[in-house]
Amino acid sequence: MTETSQPSTPAAPEAVIVAGGFGSRLLPLTARRPKHLLDVGGVPFLEHQIARLAEAGVEHIVLATSYHADMFAPVLGDGSRWGVRLDYVLEEEPLGTGGAIRNVADALTDDPDGAVIILNGDVLSGHDLPGQLADFRSGRRGRRVDVSLHLVEVEDARAFGCVPTDDEGRVLDFVEKSDDPVTNQINAGCYIFRRDVIDTIEAGEVVSVERQTFPDLVANGSLVVGFVDSAYWRDVGTPAALVAASQDVVLGLAPTPAVEAVESGARIHPRARVGSGARVSGGSVVMEDARIADGAEVTGSVVMTGASIEAGARVVDSVLGPGAQVGEKAVLMAATLGDGAVISAGTTLPEGERMDVETTR
C-alpha cells in the first residue's frame, strides 16, 4: 500500500521593518526621537505595524534601525506582548531602502524559499496582508514569485512613480512620475521578498529598492508581481499626515489591531488631566501627564506626554510635542510644536506654523 504524502505547511513568514530614516519632513517632532516612535492613535507608530504583522502570522520581526537606534528597545521590548520575537539590527551608515534590507540578512533564517515581509516604517495600511502573502505563495503558471509589491490605485498619479502590471499581475516596469501616467497604480511600501532574493542585493552599498533592485529584477526576468488593494493607506511622513492618521485610528477609520476606536471621539490617557469644562473631540489623543485646562478646546489633535493647554485656548488639527505649552486663549490651527515649545497667552499662530524645540512665541 502506497502512502500519499500531504502537502507541507509553509513556514511562518518573517518580517523586516525599515525604520532608519531621519524623519526630516516631521521636524521639529523628530529632533530628539525617531519618527517611528511618535504617537499615532495613542501608541507609538510601530506598534500598529508590529500588531498587523503578528495578526498575519509573522513570528519573527527584525527592526532595521539607525537614527536614535537606542530608543526602540526600551519602548517595544522583545516583541513578546504581541507574540513575536523582535530583533534589532543597527545600520551604521545610511544605506538606502535596499541596503537597509540587505544589512539585516544575517538576522533572518536561511531558508531560500522563505517569505520575508518588508514594511516601510512610516506607512499605516489596512490592506489584506494575509491575502498578499497567499498570492505570493501561489505563484504564476508554476513559477515561484520572487517579490510581491502592494500597489494602491490613486485618482491622480502624476505626483507618484507608477507600477504597470499585466493581466496576471506581473510587474512590467517602474515609471517615474509624469504628467501623463501610464497607470494609476503606485507603490504602497509593503513588499514580500523570497529570502534568497535579499542576498542578491549588494552588501554594504547604498541601494534603493524602488529605483535599483525592483527594476533590475524585472529586467533580469525575475517574477515580480503587484498585489492591488486600495484599502486604507497613508504615508505618515509629515505632521499633517501624522495628525490625520491619528484621528483615523481613534475614530475607527484606519483598521489597526493595535488599538480600538473609541466612541467618545477622543483617546485620553488615564494619567492625563483634563478639566471638566474642557472639550476634547474629533479624534484627539491626549497622552500621559498632559494637561488640558477648563475652557480649553482641543479638536483632532495629538497632545503628547507632559504637554499643557491653558484655559480658553483653541487647538485644532495640531500636534504638540512632549512638554509643549499653549497659553490662555492662544489659537493653533494645523500647528506643530516641538519639545518644550511655549506659545504665550493670547497668541494666534499662522495656520500650519511649526515651532522648533524649546522656543517661545
Side-chain angles (χ1 to χ4, degrees), residues 2-358:
T2 304
E3 293 186 0
T4 303
S5 61
Q6 297 297 318
S8 59
T9 302
E14 296 181 282
V16 176
I17 302 177
V18 180
F22 293 105
S24 56
R25 292 187 297 157
L26 277 159
L27 285 169
L29 299 172
T30 50
R32 296 183 176 180
R33 63 190 58 80
K35 62 182 177 180
H36 318 87
L37 296 180
L38 292 173
D39 298 316
V40 173
V43 299
F45 179 73
L46 282 185
E47 293 201 15
H48 298 289
Q49 293 194 323
I50 294 170
R52 284 197 70 235
L53 290 168
E55 189 179 55
V58 174
E59 297 177 356
H60 178 218
I61 301 172
V62 181
L63 207 58
T65 66
S66 178
Y67 180 61
H68 284 302
D70 60 322
M71 299 182 73
F72 290 92
V75 174
L76 303 173
D78 62 2
S80 56
R81 58 191 162 115
W82 296 282
V84 303
R85 177 166 58 90
L86 186 58
D87 288 327
Y88 303 85
V89 175
L90 175 64
E91 184 182 341
E92 298 283 357
E93 298 291 337
L95 295 172
T97 48
I101 294 167
R102 180 64 177 84
N103 189 58
V104 307
D106 288 347
L108 300 169
T109 59
D110 56 6
D111 175 9
D113 286 320
V116 183
I117 300 169
I118 312 289
L119 296 183
N120 285 347
D122 55 4
V123 172
L124 183 64
S125 174
H127 88 281
D128 182 7
L129 184 54
Q132 183 182 1
L133 185 62
D135 181 68
F136 171 83
R137 286 172 167 160
S138 68
R140 297 292 188 278
R141 297 179 180 268
R143 288 184 61 191
R144 75 167 200 175
V145 171
D146 294 300
V147 176
S148 167
L149 287 74
H150 171 212
L151 306 179
V152 298
E153 296 177 331
V154 296
E155 289 186 9
D156 185 353
R158 288 177 295 178
F160 304 93
C162 298
V163 186
T165 55
D166 68 12
D167 292 341
E168 294 187 340
R170 292 176 297 192
V171 172
L172 302 174
D173 199 0
F174 293 86
V175 183
E176 295 295 328
K177 62 181 67 174
S178 164
D179 289 335
D180 187 20
V182 297
T183 177
N184 65 342
Q185 295 176 173
I186 67 169
N187 178 4
C190 172
Y191 320 122
I192 304 178
F193 273 71
R194 197 67 66 174
R195 171 65 184 87
D196 59 2
V197 175
I198 293 175
D199 290 331
T200 67
I201 301 173
E202 190 71 25
E205 299 292 329
V206 179
V207 180
S208 165
V209 289
E210 300 86 355
R211 289 189 286 273
Q212 294 170 259
T213 305
F214 295 152
D216 287 350
L217 287 169
V218 171
N220 293 334
S222 296
L223 186 50
V224 180
V225 303
F227 181 80
V228 182
D229 184 335
S230 294
Y232 182 94
W233 174 83
R234 188 184 291 277
D235 174 357
V236 189
T238 66
L242 181 142
V243 168
S246 189
Q247 293 171 0
D248 289 346
V249 168
V250 173
L251 298 175
L253 303 176
T256 169
V259 295
E260 294 182 359
V262 291
E263 293 184 2
S264 65
R267 174 165 278 110
I268 300 172
H269 194 281
R271 288 193 291 276
R273 292 171 290 163
V274 178
S276 58
R279 290 183 293 170
V280 183
S281 62
S284 292
V285 168
V286 181
M287 298 300 294
E288 184 176 6
D289 295 330
R291 182 176 63 84
I292 315 294
D294 282 348
E297 179 183 343
V298 180
T299 306
S301 297
V302 178
V303 183
M304 295 188 181
T305 302
S308 62
I309 300 172
E310 299 299 335
R314 184 167 178 249
V315 178
V316 180
D317 294 339
S318 299
V319 54
L320 279 58
Q325 302 173 43
V326 177
E328 291 186 1
K329 298 184 179 179
V331 178
L332 278 64
M333 301 287 292
T336 305
L337 305 187
D339 301 36
V342 177
I343 306 301
S344 302
T347 301
T348 297
L349 289 184
E351 186 170 350
E353 183 81 350
R354 298 192 192 195
M355 294 284 293
D356 206 347
V357 177
E358 295 180 344

